[in-house]
Amino acid sequence: MEGERARSAHTVRAYLADVESLLGFAVAEGVQELGQLQLGSLRRWLGAQSESGMARATLARRAATARSFTGWALREELIGTDPAVRLQAPKRDKSLPGVLQQQQIARMVDDLNTAAADGGPMALRNRAMVELLYATGIRVGELAGLDIDDLDPDRRTLRVVGKGNKERTVPFGVPAAVAVDDWLRRGRPAVVTAASGPALFLGVRGNRVDPRQVRAVVNKLLQALGDTSATGPHALRHSAATHLLDGGADLRAVQEILGHSSLATTQIYTHVSVDRLRKSYQQAHPRA
């Protein structure tokens, strides 16, 4: 997965944990060799987790793990037949992602601007990170992986390496450009060390910022709003996509910006927009 499919370290860890769970369940059922693994065991493994209340999205991933693992075992001639060929996964819930209103984004930015006015390097960094997350809709891991050379300030574009090592170019607006420039001029030089390398965003000790640090910053800002259930940097990604579509952006353009391999993934944001439209209709139309 890591070498051939270029999956992230987080995804590899999740799949390894799934395989350990599967094999542990099989051993408990009396399976002693990989060749003894059968479709029934795989189905009972998923069924037991479903009964324990596991989310459908996680069950779907675990079914995919089982298929990938047994497919690999077959290619390596560790088993004679693939028991997961007919293993079906539950469909993922089509829940609408948490989205911030534009007024909430504005309040968040106001708080960031107030903090950055004091000139502290971390305040300047936080403003630049949040502005860039919302302006581009990039993932938190993509943000943490940015280097200074990935920025093209003249064209206001960003080179992003996404899932599967796929590269894309994403535009961003003037507020994000100003915030990032402020961080590079006044914030980054105050914390940079010999170990910083080309990393765009740094932690207090000068190392490349960790995605967990970014999540902590965004969660604190969202909690301070007090009127949203949205959590984490992905809420900014969801919000950017929805606001682009609400503003009339083409669906395929949004797909390219977000780095989705399938248009179907991007279409969930049209459901968000339609849901908002329906609520507005019900509130305003006299015969709704």
Side-chain angles (χ1 to χ4, degrees):
M1 290 189 68
E2 192 171 29
E4 297 178 11
R5 301 186 184 181
R7 294 293 189 257
S8 69
H10 175 77
T11 301
V12 172
R13 284 195 301 270
Y15 270 59
L16 284 174
D18 293 346
V19 170
E20 290 176 0
S21 172
L22 167 61
L23 296 182
F25 183 89
V27 168
E29 284 201 332
V31 175
Q32 297 181 357
E33 298 180 1
L34 198 57
Q36 297 175 337
L37 193 61
Q38 297 181 351
L39 177 61
S41 291
L42 299 178
R43 286 174 171 168
R44 287 190 292 275
W45 171 61
L46 289 178
Q49 294 168 87
S50 177
E51 291 176 0
S52 69
M54 183 170 288
R56 298 182 68 166
T58 306
L59 290 172
R61 190 201 68 217
R62 291 206 155 186
T65 298
R67 289 193 295 268
S68 295
F69 177 66
T70 57
W72 167 81
L74 183 65
R75 292 193 301 274
E76 295 294 319
E77 298 182 351
L78 300 174
I79 57 178
T81 58
D82 187 348
V85 169
R86 293 187 293 118
L87 182 66
Q88 294 183 345
K91 292 184 178 180
R92 295 174 181 266
D93 293 322
K94 294 184 178 180
S95 57
L96 300 179
V99 175
L100 296 168
Q101 298 176 2
Q102 294 185 34
Q103 298 91 328
Q104 292 172 315
I105 294 288
R107 284 163 46 206
M108 184 185 298
V109 171
D110 286 342
D111 291 342
L112 288 165
N113 287 335
T114 300
D118 297 333
M122 291 299 100
L124 294 171
R125 182 205 65 178
N126 294 346
R127 180 180 64 169
M129 291 194 308
V130 171
E131 284 277 17
L132 211 53
L133 282 170
Y134 176 62
T136 62
I138 60 176
R139 303 175 178 93
V140 62
E142 296 170 344
L143 178 89
L146 289 175
D147 291 337
I148 295 175
D149 290 344
D150 291 327
L151 283 170
D152 186 340
D154 294 330
R155 298 173 59 194
R156 290 208 302 272
T157 59
L158 193 64
R159 183 174 67 246
V160 181
V161 179
K163 291 185 176 180
N165 281 339
K166 293 180 180 179
E167 188 176 296
R168 68 186 189 277
T169 300
V170 183
F172 56 89
V174 173
V178 171
V180 171
D181 180 68
D182 213 14
W183 155 248
L184 289 175
R185 286 188 301 103
R186 300 195 293 128
R188 192 178 187 276
V191 295
V192 68
T193 67
S196 299
L200 176 59
F201 293 114
L202 307 175
V204 177
R205 298 179 181 177
N207 297 318
R208 182 183 294 274
V209 72
D210 187 273
R212 289 172 296 181
Q213 294 173 296
V214 183
R215 291 191 185 95
V217 169
V218 175
N219 280 331
K220 185 176 180 179
L221 289 166
L222 292 174
Q223 290 172 4
L225 289 177
D227 57 357
T228 178
S229 60
T231 59
H234 229 64
L236 297 177
R237 177 172 166 86
H238 293 161
S239 302
T242 303
H243 296 166
L244 280 168
L245 290 168
D246 283 343
D250 178 75
L251 187 63
R252 290 196 177 275
V254 176
Q255 177 192 5
E256 182 68 23
I257 290 172
L258 297 180
H260 288 157
S261 58
S262 170
L263 190 63
T265 307
T266 316
Q267 284 178 328
I268 187 172
Y269 298 106
T270 64
H271 301 323
V272 175
S273 297
V274 170
D275 185 54
R276 284 186 174 186
L277 181 63
R278 184 180 296 111
K279 288 181 180 178
S280 297
Y281 175 85
Q282 290 174 343
Q283 290 175 357
H285 199 285
R287 296 186 67 82

